[in-house]
Amino acid sequence: MLPLIMAQRESVVESARVRIAEVGPRDGLQNEPQIIPTADKVRLIAHLARTGVDEIEVSSFVSPRWVPQLSDAAEVFAAAAEFKPAGLVYSALVPNEQGMRAALDVNAARGARIVDKVAVFTAASETFSQKNTNATIAESVARFGAVVRAARGAALAVRGYVSCVVACPFEGPIAPPAVADVVRRLIDLGVDEIDLGETIGAGTRANVARLLDEIAAVLRDDWRAVTLHLHDTHGRAAECAQLAFERGIRSFDGAVAGLGGCPYASTPQRRAPGNIATDVLVTALRQAGGEVRVELERLAEAAAVARALCAIQ
Ligand code: HMG
Ligand code: MG
């Protein structure tokens, strides 16, 4: 089960070492009302590449009709290749074979592996799956088969996101067994990593604990291949991250400057907080005893760039 990432994380899990994936350039910029110029995205990624994060989710190879904000993914990857430090993982969202071909084209054009990891994404809510990918959960998972095979052939790792692990913006609370069922399907498909997407910031220590109890049975209490992706709409993401750390999770997603305000939770007067801000995440995990190799000063520089680009305070 989940062979690739388990091997990578063997030593990670025995220690307090925590992996941080910076998802701001993807989860943040996909939500911006305006399209950020390619050169500005690359400048932000260049700052992030110096912070010590383990992974940057650089962009998405999705339909430009659905997410025009990220339609320059190939150009962004090509430019970000110029300053990619050894050991830093670059990843991209890929919903189907067409997206996978585009990701592989980036690597072929460079003659080197620039996209190291692809992320497929589905949900524990049928309505969210339909609205996000025009497919049922079963249809979306069926699409991933070809993506996982192609990734194997090219020695790329595969992350499998499950959105709405606590609640769905359309259906409300999601029962933990529904999440466990999708996690099982992704494991059966052969993904290397499960990323639990707490999409709307409805998490609390109590409901995240219930979720992890349910998933523990599927994973046989082996958390090495699990990442937690928290949105911070109601300001509780840090405590949820600490709970997850206590339970053994050692991989988390954050977004620089808390980019990614959930459109369902924003009002014209107030932009809702987005993904948990990476600095808040790092501080919370350190308080919980985690060893995190991110330099907060450099992250603050990247956050200043992100705030200026996205006109947030
Ligand atoms: P569809 O319309 O059903 O696709 O969309 P289709 O196969 O019928 O194709 C329609 C058109 O899209 C065609 O173009 C295709 O070529 C094109 P046309 O002939 O009309 O000009 N197309 C593509 N173009 C580029 N790259 C591709 C691609 N695929 C088709 N890969 C589809 C289905 C999945 C493509 C669409 O729904 C889509 O792109 N969805 C992506 C939505 C998205 O990116 N959402 C945000 C990410 S998920 C998230 O944020 C949650 C997460 O953060 C975790 C959490 O917080 O919970 C990860
Ligand atoms: Mg997200």
Side-chain angles (χ1 to χ4, degrees), residues 26-27 30-31 57 60-67 93 95-100 102 121 128 131-134 143 161-164 196-200 229 231 275:
R26 192 281 303 170
D27 206 352
Q30 76 179 14
N31 273 311
E57 213 169 67
S60 297
F61 294 101
V62 298
S63 166
R65 288 173 193 248
W66 287 65
V67 187
L93 257 60
N96 53 18
E97 272 188 278
Q98 192 172 337
M100 188 65 198
F121 50 103
F128 189 89
K131 291 199 184 263
N132 198 34
T133 57
N134 199 24
R143 286 175 184 166
Y161 272 110
V162 184
S163 282
C164 305
L196 301 171
E198 208 288 81
T199 314
I200 60 168
H229 173 105
H231 286 252
N275 288 78

Side-chain angles (χ1 to χ4, degrees), residues 34-222:
Q34 78 284 24
I35 296 181
I36 307 286
T38 305
D40 287 337
K41 291 175 179 169
V42 173
R43 190 158 54 87
L44 174 62
I45 293 165
H47 277 275
L48 291 168
R50 292 196 287 264
T51 60
V53 295
D54 299 277
E55 174 173 344
I56 301 178
E57 213 169 67
V58 169
S59 193
S60 297
F61 294 101
V62 298
S63 166
R65 288 173 193 248
W66 287 65
V67 187
Q69 291 91 334
L70 302 184
S71 60
D72 57 357
E75 291 81 3
V76 173
F77 268 103
E82 299 297 333
F83 49 77
K84 185 172 188 270
L88 174 62
V89 170
Y90 277 174
S91 57
L93 257 60
V94 159
N96 53 18
E97 272 188 278
Q98 192 172 337
M100 188 65 198
R101 276 197 300 277
L104 292 176
D105 283 349
V106 166
N107 289 353
R110 181 82 186 179
R113 208 170 62 184
I114 302 307
V115 183
D116 301 293
K117 184 195 278 190
V118 292
V120 294
F121 50 103
T122 184
S125 150
E126 284 293 355
T127 313
F128 189 89
S129 175
Q130 223 26 278
K131 291 199 184 263
N132 198 34
T133 57
N134 199 24
T136 63
I137 297 169
E139 286 165 348
S140 67
V141 174
R143 286 175 184 166
F144 302 157
V147 173
V148 173
R149 281 193 296 279
R152 286 274 163 275
L156 306 193
V158 183
R159 155 181 278 198
Y161 272 110
V162 184
S163 282
C164 305
V165 295
V166 170
C168 165
F170 311 105
E171 294 185 11
I174 297 292
V179 182
D181 178 52
V182 181
V183 168
R184 192 177 296 110
R185 290 196 227 179
L186 290 177
I187 289 172
D188 290 347
L189 202 66
V191 303
D192 303 294
E193 175 185 359
I194 296 289
D195 196 331
L196 301 171
E198 208 288 81
T199 314
I200 60 168
T204 62
R205 279 182 70 95
N207 62 28
V208 171
R210 278 198 297 279
L211 170 70
L212 299 185
D213 284 345
E214 189 73 34
I215 292 174
V218 179
L219 298 172
R220 298 199 186 91
D221 225 2
D222 182 345

Side-chain angles (χ1 to χ4, degrees), residues 282-299:
V282 167
T283 302
L285 291 168
R286 283 184 177 148
Q287 283 168 355
E291 184 210 320
V292 191
R293 295 178 191 165
V294 174
E295 292 184 42
L296 287 179
E297 278 173 21
R298 290 190 170 185
L299 196 53

